[in-house]
Amino acid sequence: MILLGFILLLLALLGAPLFAIIAGSAFYSYYQEDIDLAALAIEFFSLAEMPVLLAIPLFTFAGYLLSESEAPSRLVRLTQALLGWMPGGLAIVSLAACAFFTAFTGASGVTIIALGAILYPALKQAGYPEKFNLGLVTSAGSLGLLFAPSLPLILYGIVAREPIDDLFLAGILPGMVMLVMLAGWSLWVSRGSKQELVPFSGKRVVAALKESAWELPLPIVVLGGIYSGYFAVSEAAAVTALYALIVEVGILREIKLAALPGIMRESMLLVGGILIILGVSLASTNIMIDAGVPQQLLEWVSGLVDSKTSFLLLLLVFLLILGAILDIFSALVLVVPLLLPVAAQYGIDPLHLGIVILAAKQLGYLTPPVGLNLFIASYRFERSITEVYSATFPFLIILLASVVVITFWPQLSLVFLSR
Amino acid sequence: MARLSRWGKAAEDAVLVILLGAMIVLAVAQIIMRNGFGSGLIWADETLRLMVLWLALAGSVAAARADKHLAINVLARALPPRGQSISRFITNGFTSVICGMLAWHAWRFLQQSIEFEDTLVGGLPAWWFQVVLPVGFALMCWRYFVFALEDIVAGIRGTRRWPVSPGDHTP
């Protein structure tokens, strides 16, 4: 058992796909428990018994579609027209635009590629220090993770069996805390630098609004539709996908029909990768719960910590280490079912737990050695990875501070909910 | 061989495009029917859920071809070219075996389903929908088997198979 675990761990570290590792361990546990291995296929088939899953391919596709269109530059022009007049404005523009965009694209690195390419040169031109720009764009690339309808939020809801619309509400204030703390830091750092400010002009705001007129209704339709009870989360995803398709391909014609299959394929690679992990872990999680792994985990944890506060501290350390190794989607699917019962024993609300996990995992995008954003930024902006590390470090510290705030102030996550 | 691979990719693209397109249309039609006419297609919800399963398998097969399944690549990246080939041969071979086992047991599940005459979506044979499991896993088994063979060739020639590009450990 221990030997096999060690071999699987080694294979995982050598780069074997995680779904194969999970399936391998599930096969072994089934074999040990004398369960027919065909049960794994039956568990996998239960992917077809979860109605909310529909939201994952549809939101992902809509996000990819938006990022391939001119929507990112329109979004930057709009926020620029609204906020560009104040000192440090462009830095805040960058943060806000990235957060908004990531919420829709699900933090798969698309933001740095789509928005970073516009913002990075713009910041430089406006006179912000080079290193600051690199750090800002890299760390902003996963900022909107806590805002609806981000993919990780939906996935947590599915795995933890919590209502996804409640999770959307829970993410608002913690997401704002991250945004505001980073904005404050940006203002502080850029206070001395010479920037070209653009005076506020009503005309420009109107022009930018007009230009974005087709995309602006999207968040209203999605969130308004969900909270008015007009449609479910998966239906909101369908509406978003169809709307984005009609606007970007049919009306604005920024995406050629011939390019559409390629975009569909690209987006479904990510979806396939997430869903197959979810499918095989349905099998492995069930057997772990049957074998009493959460109870053992709880016994072990309660030997280490006795209060809610110290548990949260331990959880945070664990999540930060995990974040440096495992991507957010695999981590959610693997760890959440085991953490939930333990956290419940310490009186932690599952919604708050979800927000803490996502916030801490967001740091994982920026922590060496595997932080995805670091690699994408290094590649995209042609900077060495060490340069990106050091440029991102101050932002990482600020984000860490915000995660601590979010963790130890549960009301931030729960204030909009009747719990 | 190259033609086979082109045809395979075209078939994958076609399946993905048709599934995703049909999914969007069906889901939106369902909302309009329910809110506009107070009715809905009885089979639509179940069909949509089965389409998600199909999309999961089709997307996984496509992700296997592009070698973009979620994985941890830190350690292997640090290895010299020949070491990378060996490590990739091991991991791809392992993945191929696991996919083969998944395909085999999914096939057995399918046979049971045929034997018991399980039905879905209002009376259609369940195996019509479940057949995607053994087929999808078998295709992935083949893909990783080909990767493993390529790794042997790369190992003998000493060529590096991994370009240093970002984010290839996450799609």
Side-chain angles (χ1 to χ4, degrees):
Chain A
M1 181 70 204
I2 291 167
L3 179 71
L4 190 96
F6 181 74
I7 292 172
L8 285 177
L9 186 68
L10 190 69
L11 282 167
L13 289 175
L14 285 176
L18 290 166
F19 82 84
I21 303 287
I22 301 165
S25 81
F27 271 134
Y28 181 75
S29 334
Y30 276 50
Y31 174 75
Q32 285 280 301
E33 303 278 318
D34 231 1
I35 303 170
D36 187 341
L37 298 189
L40 212 120
I42 299 170
E43 293 280 359
F44 195 95
F45 188 72
S46 58
L47 274 187
E49 280 147 23
M50 304 173 158
V52 253
L53 275 192
L54 189 60
I56 291 184
L58 295 176
F59 270 131
T60 310
F61 171 61
Y64 270 71
L65 206 57
L66 288 175
S67 64
E68 291 287 325
S69 72
E70 297 291 315
S73 31
R74 278 194 291 274
L75 178 61
V76 172
R77 278 198 290 274
L78 177 63
T79 23
Q80 172 78 311
L82 290 170
L83 301 170
W85 51 269
M86 55 189 204
L90 191 61
I92 297 172
V93 167
S94 310
L95 292 169
C98 282
F100 184 80
F101 198 70
T102 304
F104 269 86
T105 56
S108 44
V110 191
T111 306
I112 300 183
I113 294 171
L115 275 178
I118 307 164
L119 292 171
Y120 187 58
L123 283 162
K124 191 175 172 185
Q125 203 187 356
Y128 289 87
E130 183 75 39
K131 199 175 166 188
F132 169 80
N133 302 341
L134 188 63
L136 180 82
V137 174
T138 309
S139 43
S142 50
L143 194 55
L145 217 67
L146 294 177
F147 294 128
S150 94
L151 206 52
L153 264 179
I154 296 177
L155 192 62
Y156 178 82
I158 290 168
V159 176
R161 293 168 203 278
E162 286 294 321
I164 290 166
D165 39 350
D166 283 358
L167 268 166
F168 285 178
L169 288 177
I172 296 173
L173 284 186
M176 291 305 286
V177 166
M178 285 191 155
L179 197 58
V180 168
M181 283 177 72
L182 276 186
W185 165 251
S186 302
L187 285 183
W188 173 254
V189 168
S190 56
R191 72 196 181 285
S193 66
K194 266 207 163 56
Q195 305 156 18
E196 290 171 32
L197 297 182
V198 217
F200 184 83
S201 120
K203 224 187 249 167
R204 235 210 341 266
V205 171
V206 173
L209 279 173
K210 236 186 222 162
E211 192 187 45
S212 312
W214 282 108
E215 277 107 4
L216 283 176
L218 253 187
I220 303 164
V221 170
V222 172
L223 302 179
I226 294 173
Y227 290 107
S228 63
Y230 203 69
F231 37 67
V233 173
S234 59
E235 294 175 331
V239 172
T240 309
L242 186 70
Y243 186 90
L245 199 59
I246 291 173
V247 168
E248 310 300 344
V249 182
I251 297 171
L252 300 174
R253 291 172 192 265
E254 285 166 352
I255 292 170
K256 298 252 169 351
L257 209 55
L260 207 52
I263 297 173
M264 285 182 156
R265 181 192 169 86
E266 264 327 291
S267 61
M268 288 311 111
L269 293 187
L270 175 65
V271 171
I274 296 174
L275 291 183
I276 193 173
I277 289 191
L278 184 61
V280 289
S281 27
L282 287 175
S284 75
T285 312
N286 273 355
I287 193 115
M288 277 202 268
I289 289 171
D290 286 347
V293 174
Q295 282 88 330
Q296 288 164 18
L297 191 66
L298 179 64
E299 268 169 41
W300 181 74
V301 169
S302 57
L304 290 174
V305 293
D306 48 5
S307 73
K308 188 172 171 177
T309 314
S310 47
F311 171 73
L312 282 172
L313 200 63
L314 185 70
L315 177 71
L316 211 50
V317 172
F318 168 71
L319 288 172
L320 292 176
I321 296 170
L322 191 71
I325 309 168
L326 213 56
D327 70 276
I328 193 163
F329 303 114
S330 317
L332 279 176
V333 169
L334 280 177
V335 173
V336 168
L338 302 180
L339 277 184
L340 267 174
V342 180
Q345 287 295 317
Y346 286 90
I348 293 159
D349 191 285
L351 293 175
H352 179 225
L353 178 72
I355 299 301
V356 170
I357 292 176
L358 292 180
K361 287 299 295 183
Q362 186 182 323
L363 291 181
Y365 280 90
L366 304 173
T367 41
V370 290
L372 180 62
N373 284 6
L374 298 170
F375 284 100
I376 295 180
S378 144
Y379 176 74
R380 192 79 184 120
F381 307 120
E382 293 173 346
R383 295 314 191 77
S384 78
I385 195 84
T386 39
E387 247 179 300
V388 184
Y389 281 158
S390 72
T392 317
F393 191 70
F395 292 90
L396 184 67
I397 298 299
I398 301 290
L399 279 174
L400 184 62
S402 72
V403 172
V404 171
V405 172
I406 292 165
T407 307
F408 292 102
W409 192 2
Q411 287 79 14
L412 272 178
S413 313
L414 303 174
V415 69
F416 294 129
L417 300 153
S418 46
R419 301 195 172 207
Chain B
M1 195 68 192
R3 188 188 289 171
L4 190 72
S5 148
R6 238 192 350 262
W7 277 87
K9 186 166 182 293
E12 275 168 28
D13 283 356
V15 171
L16 287 173
V17 169
I18 292 168
L19 276 174
L20 189 59
M23 223 160 148
I24 296 171
V25 172
L26 190 57
V28 174
Q30 184 75 346
I31 305 170
I32 296 172
M33 300 265 281
R34 201 195 52 222
N35 287 304
F37 307 98
S39 70
L41 305 165
I42 312 166
W43 47 270
D45 287 334
E46 196 179 357
T47 309
L48 279 169
R49 282 187 274 127
L50 288 165
M51 283 163 109
V52 173
L53 178 79
W54 276 66
L55 204 60
L57 267 303
S60 291
V61 172
R65 178 188 293 273
D67 202 6
K68 280 194 171 178
H69 270 288
L70 296 165
I72 308 167
N73 285 345
V74 238
L75 204 69
R77 260 171 200 289
L79 296 172
R82 209 155 252 145
Q84 279 191 13
S85 295
I86 296 170
S87 120
R88 283 189 53 106
F89 171 74
I90 296 170
T91 55
N92 285 330
F94 165 77
T95 310
S96 180
V97 170
I98 293 286
C99 289
M101 284 173 72
L102 283 166
W104 168 245
H105 290 290
W107 172 248
R108 288 183 46 236
F109 163 56
L110 194 73
Q111 281 178 324
Q112 286 166 18
S113 168
I114 294 171
E115 199 176 310
F116 292 112
E117 296 180 358
D118 291 345
T119 55
L120 282 169
V121 200
L124 297 175
W127 71 269
W128 289 10
F129 305 97
Q130 294 161 342
V131 73
V132 70
L133 290 174
V135 172
F137 287 127
L139 286 172
M140 290 166 71
C141 170
W142 163 250
R143 177 61 48 206
Y144 282 102
F145 177 69
V146 172
F147 280 161
L149 291 185
E150 286 173 1
D151 294 327
I152 296 179
V153 176
I156 293 167
R157 292 196 186 142
T159 43
R160 185 183 283 264
R161 270 212 65 217
W162 252 337
V164 186
S165 73
D168 58 357
H169 63 299
T170 303

